[in-house]
Amino acid sequence: MAIQLIGTGSALPKKIVTNKDLEGMMDTSDEWIYTHTGVRERRIAVEETVISLGTDAARAAIEDAGIQPDEIDLVICSTITPDCPVPGCAPNIRRNLGVENAAALDLNANCTGCIYSLAVARGLMETLGFKTALVVGSDVLSRITNWEDRGTCILFGDAAGAFILRRSEAEGVLAVHIAGKSDVDDVLTCDWPAMETPFSGPKKPNNEKIYMDGHKVFSFAVNAFIETLERSLGEAGIPKEELKAIVPHQANFRIIKSTARRLDIPLEKFYMNVDRLGNTSSASVPVALDELARSGRLQSGDLVMLAGFGGGLTYGSALLRWK
Ligand code: UT7
């Protein structure tokens, strides 16, 4: 059975927070942030939520795909910052879209969430017969960002991206690879608030904000990025020279640059918006894909590689033949 990605969408919070704005909040500089990360500014949700951004991104993807919302029979929302545990973000997005009947689930695979979601959607379409899947990646990382840690808070932003997968005659998803390594050193963590029950007694507060060992995550990220790209290319039997574009997780410009150099792929093939949006976790890859698609740079038949890595430690990629 063949599956194609037939539409993309994205949604951004209105508020822009620049590096200059952060200079007024902590001991940092635009120059340091830009040279160490490639980030100039990020969007921060004020009124927006994971569900509202996710719904807007989904609407844009549905319109782009030229389908009706009730054709969707599977909704997956990738998020690490859900607005609520019950009924979850995906069921709320389904309701906002006016879709009466569709399986809906939230998925947490950190910054690789949308690649994992694509893999899960493809698996469910192949095994359970779903015809049209909506994948949303939506995160409001500003909620769990430690705004007192200048080593991490400068990296993150809020956004949502979405895409539609549909059963098709022509094969559009040529290869998918998802993988993980145990984070035995706790290099990237964030806990729920300490949850007390009448039976547990008082609990010590947890670390409710993102903690990251940047150096260790950096070296994991470059190796994982290279491995997953090679795995998907190998599965599809396609040489890297044939890739039209690579849509990487927008974690840090330097990670992308190092990967491009080690793989000997021209940097121009890597789509980047990290300067405008920072790292938006689940939203990172689908927002970048949506921007690339809407830029008009992709032609039908082009080969596009999506690749992500993040907490967990998760990583993965998907090779697409463009619709
Ligand atoms: O999506 C999850 C994946 N996450 C990632 O991929 C993140 C991977 N890691 C990174 O992107 C980088 O490690 C960071 C951007 C987080 C940090 O960059 P770095 O080049 O590794 O900097 P560093 O941590 O080695 O810090 C260098 C110096 C330190 O000062 P000293 O000890 O040399 O005096 C830091 O205290 O820069 C200092 N520093 C800052 N200075 C100004 C750290 N943050 C800042 C800041 N402004 N915001």
Side-chain angles (χ1 to χ4, degrees), residues 63-314:
E63 194 186 338
D64 186 45
I67 60 165
Q68 294 303 314
D70 60 11
E71 293 175 54
I72 294 166
D73 49 12
L74 174 64
V75 180
I76 301 181
C77 179
S78 164
T79 184
I80 59 170
T81 51
D83 297 332
C84 53
V86 181
C89 296
N92 274 299
I93 292 169
R94 176 186 56 194
R95 188 178 64 181
N96 290 348
L97 296 173
V99 176
E100 293 273 322
N101 296 305
L105 65 137
D106 287 2
L107 187 151
N108 177 339
N110 295 274
C111 301
T112 323
C114 270
I115 312 270
Y116 268 62
S117 298
L118 191 156
V120 169
R122 182 172 82 149
L124 293 177
M125 291 168 90
E126 283 172 354
T127 52
L128 298 184
F130 293 105
K131 290 196 177 71
T132 309
L134 163 66
V135 172
V136 178
S138 185
D139 265 314
V140 176
L141 289 183
S142 55
R143 288 176 179 162
I144 58 167
T145 296
N146 180 353
W147 290 103
E148 286 172 6
D149 176 9
R150 68 176 182 165
T152 57
C153 72
I154 42 102
L155 293 166
F156 303 120
D158 305 332
F163 52 82
I164 308 280
L165 298 171
R166 188 162 226 184
R167 286 208 209 175
S168 60
E169 294 293 314
E171 187 57 275
V173 180
L174 304 184
V176 182
H177 171 246
I178 55 172
K181 283 190 194 339
S182 285
D183 182 5
V184 288
D185 296 324
D186 292 329
V187 297
L188 188 41
T189 60
C190 177
D191 299 322
W192 286 113
M195 290 180 200
E196 291 176 14
T197 73
F199 312 100
S200 65
K203 287 195 169 176
K204 274 198 266 163
N206 283 338
N207 173 24
E208 298 166 30
K209 304 292 178 191
I210 296 174
Y211 163 80
M212 182 171 70
D213 180 331
H215 286 267
K216 288 194 175 144
V217 176
F218 196 104
S219 54
F220 156 76
V222 175
N223 291 326
F225 196 173
I226 292 170
E227 181 193 327
T228 191
L229 233 87
E230 287 177 338
R231 288 288 291 268
S232 279
L233 285 170
E235 186 190 325
I238 287 179
K240 62 185 180 197
E241 291 74 20
E242 288 187 20
L243 289 175
K244 175 70 187 284
I246 298 148
V247 179
H249 170 43
Q250 309 285 317
N252 183 325
F253 169 69
R254 286 160 51 216
I255 292 176
I256 298 170
K257 214 166 149 187
S258 251
T259 305
R261 194 181 57 244
R262 280 181 48 191
L263 281 170
D264 195 22
I265 297 177
L267 190 58
E268 303 73 61
K269 289 198 177 185
F270 291 73
Y271 184 81
M272 275 184 271
N273 62 16
V274 66
D275 58 325
R276 284 179 288 112
L277 300 180
N279 176 349
T280 58
S281 192
S282 297
S284 168
V285 168
V287 171
L289 178 64
D290 182 50
E291 289 185 359
L292 174 64
R294 285 170 197 264
S295 73
R297 273 181 266 171
L298 294 179
Q299 307 295 319
S300 178
D302 280 347
L303 292 167
V304 181
M305 179 73 82
L306 315 181
F309 46 82
L313 298 162
T314 56

